[in-house]
Amino acid sequence: MSLADELLTGIQEIDDQHETLFDTLETLENVVAAGDGWSAAYFALSELVQFTRTHFTVEEALMRLHNYPDIEKHIAEHQTFTAHLGILEQQAVQRDVSSQIIEFVRQWLINHIGHSDQAYVLHLRTAAVV
């Protein structure tokens, strides 16, 4: 998948990671659509959760490194997302919540990347980092 222009940050590593997040989400969608079973869907979800944690760590380190003033708010958004995704992951063990997970993650990524991530990128550009 290729990111829409409004979701590009101009930071290659971050854009690549965002693309991986959407690709992993697409894998989950494909597994669910194909009816590949609970274990395949749960594995795809786990992969999404793991990569999300890695991505958030990279983003937060970048913000710390460049003294992003709204870092605490941004980290709180990451923590809220991670907590909600964790709840959905637990529910996935008991029942099929695939469609809720897919919709939640897609909307959150689009909103978060399109707004919150663009704000820290603007700070980095203003600080002449990128």
Side-chain angles (χ1 to χ4, degrees), residues 61-123:
L62 184 63
M63 287 183 268
R64 276 189 191 90
L65 185 63
H66 299 290
N67 300 314
Y68 178 54
D70 289 330
I71 188 171
E72 295 307 320
K73 180 181 176 215
H74 201 103
I75 289 173
E77 288 181 27
H78 287 173
Q79 290 170 337
T80 300
F81 173 81
T82 302
H84 189 75
L85 193 57
I87 290 167
L88 289 170
E89 186 178 22
Q90 287 175 343
Q91 291 174 352
V93 173
Q94 300 164 357
R95 61 188 169 84
D96 182 9
V97 292
S98 304
S99 59
Q100 292 102 308
I101 291 168
I102 291 166
E103 187 58 30
F104 167 70
V105 172
R106 172 177 274 95
Q107 289 308 312
W108 190 88
L109 286 174
I110 290 169
N111 290 331
H112 183 77
I113 294 168
H115 300 292
S116 299
D117 284 359
Q118 296 303 329
Y120 86 74
V121 169
L122 180 62
H123 169 76

Side-chain angles (χ1 to χ4, degrees), residues 16-35:
D16 289 348
Q17 289 181 11
H18 286 161
E19 191 160 338
T20 299
L21 285 168
F22 278 104
D23 288 346
T24 306
L25 180 61
E26 186 176 13
T27 298
L28 177 59
E29 286 178 305
N30 292 339
V31 164
V32 170

Side-chain angles (χ1 to χ4, degrees), residues 21-65:
L21 285 168
F22 278 104
D23 288 346
T24 306
L25 180 61
E26 186 176 13
T27 298
L28 177 59
E29 286 178 305
N30 292 339
V31 164
V32 170
D36 286 343
W38 175 86
S39 62
Y42 191 77
F43 178 77
L45 173 60
S46 294
E47 190 176 323
L48 179 66
V49 169
Q50 283 303 111
F51 190 78
T52 299
R53 287 186 184 125
T54 300
H55 170 65
F56 287 170
T57 299
V58 170
E59 260 191 8
E60 291 167 14
L62 184 63
M63 287 183 268
R64 276 189 191 90
L65 185 63

